């Protein structure tokens, strides 16, 4: 009833406004007759909180673990919106950080927990976690307390004295005493059943062992005996000239000032030298003229001894006039001096030997009891008595052939030294190593002034200087040829990368054509690869050898002649 009266009052207020509008229109208003009665105003709507009175800022979800802004204090402690969940029990309301409830962090070492768990599993007792570990008594254990008193609280990670004493009593000794330890099966061995030689047999065995040790030591320390075999009837011609004399009738132009003639791609094989019976490791042309070819190989000679021959080929007459035997193991590298009258050989028997090119006589021997991997004469005319060799013990050793002594050591590499190349008018030399780095040295200064090593670099076991002296071609073990500048900063030329051949694992020698038009290299498949220098495009590929083609040389005075050698023991001439 009160709600109806309140509604009538509200309607009455609306009708008053309508009466005013009717008076304005001229319509008469009829007033009710009789006494007036006052009515109480009642509000039947429920009390609802006004939004502005409770909203203190941006609403935060109580389930959030982190916020991306700085909320105010009122926002953080504002009441939650929405009705209370009537089905939420006390267990559900409790905070949880795991499925079964709330686990408080315990300050317990992981190792200590695992130690006590294993001890309880093995011995049946463990430390009482409610007792301070620094005040542990016999009552500080749980489980088999008697066993804990008996073992004095030892854990599975601790060993008792009885076990070690028992182990020492085992026949054969303790493993810690290595001198007296005979092994785990020693207790099963009966000395009566072991076969031993008699006194006479033991004496004979000692003599044989002593002879073998002495023989092996002598073979290792003593250099191989040098021997020269001449394959031609007369060493000199009717004018008294030897084969070292540069022929004058074959059109060789020794005037280096003139620009070289244009070179052309070789297409066919014109000759094969087969003097070697095993793989050829290196070939070198005679300085300036290139009319002689020096090669080193691995040949098995008399009495089963591995003897390496160094053959000297005369290209013009196509024969082998001289064979030099003197190394007991494979020859790794060879090098002429400037005039070609002498050359050096480096072999795996740890010796470097100086030979006379004309007579084949061994002039001197050099060794530091390490294997030489490469050898080079100093190209300066006033330093022809000095040479450097890259050794297997990470050093570059410099010898003087007059005294036979080491005069300098360059010790900065972290691996065996593979190549040495002189640059910058012979004032510097570049070395590469198994440590996948390239170092540049000043002559006679044992500290490298330039060190190049990148994470992407591979070992570069073969390096060749270009004819104009501006570039270094490096055979990289990731099957590509990299070009470094040979002047000033020795930067890598990223535009000059020669790819398309497989050389991983082999030190295949690279060479340039005299006019700098082509780059040649062998590969692991025995093929001769020829690239264009300007475009780095692979122009030509020839199947040259049955095995690895380890080296390729472009003749300095012939426009299209290339010499290759391989591990099939053959040396071939291409035109």
């Amino acid at each position: 009833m009160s709600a109806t009266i309140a509604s009538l009052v509200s309607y009455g207020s609306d009708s008053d406004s309508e009466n005013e509008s009717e008076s304005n229109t001229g319509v008469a208003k009829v007033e009710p007759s009789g006494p007036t009665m006052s009515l109480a105003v009642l509000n039947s709507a429920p009390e609802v909180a006004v939004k502005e009175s409770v909203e203190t800022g941006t609403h935060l979800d109580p389930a959030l673990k982190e916020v991306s802004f700085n909320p105010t204090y009122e926002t953080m402690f504002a009441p939650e919106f929405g009705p209370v969940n009537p089905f939420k029990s006390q267990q559900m309301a409790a905070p949880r950080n795991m499925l079964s409830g709330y686990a408080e962090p315990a300050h317990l070492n992981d190792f200590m927990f695992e130690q006590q768990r294993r001890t309880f599993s093995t011995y049946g007792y463990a430390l009482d976690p409610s007792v301070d570990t620094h005040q542990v008594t016999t009552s500080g254990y749980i489980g088999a307390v008697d066993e804990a008193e008996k073992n004095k609280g030892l854990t599975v990670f601790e060993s008792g004295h009885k076990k070690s004493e028992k182990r020492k009593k085992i026949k054969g000794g303790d493993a810690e005493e290595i001198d007296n330890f005979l092994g785990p099966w020693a207790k099963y061995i009966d000395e009566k059943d072991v076969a031993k030689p008699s006194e006479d047999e033991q004496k004979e065995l000692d003599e044989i062992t002593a002879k073998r040790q002495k023989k092996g030591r002598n073979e290792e320390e003593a250099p191989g005996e040098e021997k020269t075999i001449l394959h031609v009837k007369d060493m000199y011609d009717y004018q008294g000239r030897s084969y070292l004399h540069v022929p004058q009738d074959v059109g060789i132009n020794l005037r280096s000032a003139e620009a070289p003639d244009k070179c052309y791609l070789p297409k066919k094989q014109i000759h094969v030298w087969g003097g070697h019976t095993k793989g050829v490791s290196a070939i070198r042309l005679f300085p300036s003229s290139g009319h002689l070819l020096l090669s080193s190989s691995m040949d098995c000679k008399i009495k089963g001894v591995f003897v390496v021959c160094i053959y000297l080929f005369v290209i013009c007459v196509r024969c082998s006039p001289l064979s030099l035997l003197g190394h007991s193991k494979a020859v790794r590298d060879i090098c002429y001096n400037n005039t070609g009258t002498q050359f050096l050989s480096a072999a795996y028997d740890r010796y470097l030997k100086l030979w006379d090119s004309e007579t084949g006589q061994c002039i001197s021997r050099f060794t530091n009891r390490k294997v030489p991997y490469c050898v080079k004469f100093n190209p300066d005319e006033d330093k022809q008595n000095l040479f450097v060799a890259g050794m297997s013990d990470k050093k570059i050793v410099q010898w003087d052939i007059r005294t036979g002594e080491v005069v300098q050591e360059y010790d900065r590499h972290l691996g065996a030294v593979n190549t040495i190349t002189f640059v910058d008018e012979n004032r510097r030399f570049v070395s590469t190593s198994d440590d996948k780095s390239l170092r540049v040295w000043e002559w006679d200064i044992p500290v490298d002034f330039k060190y190049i090593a990148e994470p992407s670099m591979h070992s570069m076991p073969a390096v060749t200087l270009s004819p104009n002296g501006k570039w270094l071609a490096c055979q990289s073990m990731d099957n590509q040829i990299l070009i470094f500048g040979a002047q000033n900063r020795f930067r890598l030329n990223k535009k000059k990368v020669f790819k398309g051949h497989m050389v991983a694992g082999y030190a295949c020698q690279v060479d340039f054509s005299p006019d700098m038009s082509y780059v040649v290299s062998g590969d692991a498949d025995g093929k001769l690869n020829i690239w264009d220098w300007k475009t780095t495009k692979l122009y030509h590929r020839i199947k040259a050898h049955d095995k690895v083609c380890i080296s390729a040389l472009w003749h300095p005075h012939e426009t299209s002649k290339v010499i290759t050698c391989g591990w099939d023991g053959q040396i071939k001439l291409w035109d």
Side-chain angles (χ1 to χ4, degrees), residues 458-469:
H458 289 68
S459 178
M460 297 178 290
V463 178
T464 303
L465 182 66
S466 64
N468 57 13

Side-chain angles (χ1 to χ4, degrees), residues 290-451:
H291 72 289
L292 294 180
L293 178 67
L294 188 67
S295 67
S296 60
S297 175
M298 300 168 286
D299 294 348
C300 182
K301 294 295 181 182
I302 46 177
K303 295 183 180 179
V305 180
F306 285 91
V307 182
V308 178
C309 302
I310 303 174
Y311 284 91
L312 203 60
F313 292 103
V314 181
I315 293 179
C316 57
V317 298
R318 298 183 180 179
C319 65
S320 174
L322 198 64
S323 297
L324 311 176
L325 292 80
H327 287 288
S328 59
K329 293 184 180 179
V331 176
R332 171 70 184 240
D333 195 18
I334 45 180
C335 180
Y336 272 115
N337 64 356
N338 284 4
T339 58
T341 56
Q342 297 176 347
F343 67 90
L344 284 163
S345 63
Y348 285 100
D349 60 359
R350 297 187 173 91
Y351 276 90
L352 296 110
K353 294 189 177 183
L354 181 66
W355 305 82
D356 185 274
S357 300
E358 185 173 358
T359 62
Q361 179 184 0
C362 182
I363 301 173
S364 55
R365 310 175 189 89
F366 312 90
T367 182
N368 66 344
R369 308 312 307 157
K370 303 297 178 182
V371 177
Y373 281 177
C374 58
V375 61
K376 281 290 175 67
F377 271 106
N378 189 310
D380 280 343
E381 293 295 338
D382 58 342
K383 296 185 180 67
Q384 286 291 285
N385 61 305
L386 300 173
F387 72 90
V388 287
M391 314 301 291
S392 60
D393 62 345
K394 314 172 189 178
K395 295 181 181 179
I396 301 174
V397 185
Q398 179 178 327
W399 269 282
D400 190 335
I401 61 176
R402 296 173 299 187
T403 61
E405 296 179 354
V406 175
V407 295
Q408 186 63 271
E409 283 189 354
Y410 306 84
D411 185 12
R412 301 283 285 183
H413 275 294
L414 304 177
V417 182
N418 292 322
T419 65
I420 297 174
T421 309
F422 283 87
V423 297
D424 195 14
E425 297 179 355
N426 307 323
R427 292 192 295 264
R428 303 169 179 170
F429 64 90
V430 177
S431 63
T432 60
S433 169
D434 285 343
D435 60 5
K436 303 179 183 180
S437 70
L438 185 147
R439 296 176 188 261
V440 187
W441 313 75
E442 296 278 358
W443 175 255
D444 218 14
I445 299 177
V447 179
D448 53 330
F449 81 94
K450 185 73 174 181
Y451 171 70

Side-chain angles (χ1 to χ4, degrees), residues 104-155:
E104 295 183 355
H107 299 283
L108 182 64
N109 192 341
D110 293 338
F111 174 76
M112 181 65 70
F113 178 82
E114 187 67 17
Q115 181 190 49
Q116 296 302 320
R117 187 190 68 79
R118 293 190 181 186
T119 303
F120 186 82
S121 177
T122 305
Y123 299 128
Y125 63 86
L127 288 174
D128 189 353
S130 61
V131 181
D132 188 2
T133 56
H134 297 285
Q135 300 177 357
V136 174
T137 60
T138 55
S139 60
Y141 291 93
I142 58 174
V145 180
D146 298 338
E147 191 71 19
E149 294 178 358
K150 181 180 178 182
N151 294 337
K152 297 181 180 180
L154 292 177
T155 64

Side-chain angles (χ1 to χ4, degrees), residues 150-188:
K150 181 180 178 182
N151 294 337
K152 297 181 180 180
L154 292 177
T155 64
V156 291
F157 297 117
E158 298 173 348
S159 58
H161 298 288
K162 295 182 179 180
K163 187 176 180 181
S164 60
E165 292 176 358
K166 183 179 180 181
R167 186 176 183 182
K168 289 183 179 179
K169 294 179 182 179
I170 296 176
K171 185 177 181 181
D174 190 6
E176 297 176 357
E177 301 176 3
I178 193 66
D179 295 333
N180 301 325
F181 185 64
L182 302 178
W185 300 99
K187 61 182 180 180
Y188 302 104

Side-chain angles (χ1 to χ4, degrees), residues 17 42 165 182 230 236 252 255 261-262 317 337 391 397 459 466 501 506 535 541:
S17 60
L42 298 176
E165 292 176 358
L182 302 178
L230 188 66
Y236 302 95
I252 296 177
R255 292 175 293 176
D261 297 332
K262 179 176 175 56
V317 298
N337 64 356
M391 314 301 291
V397 185
S459 178
S466 64
H501 62 316
Y506 302 97
T535 62
R541 180 177 288 166

Side-chain angles (χ1 to χ4, degrees), residues 46 84 95 120 203 237 262 266 461:
V84 179
F120 186 82
K203 186 177 180 180
D237 61 0
K262 179 176 175 56

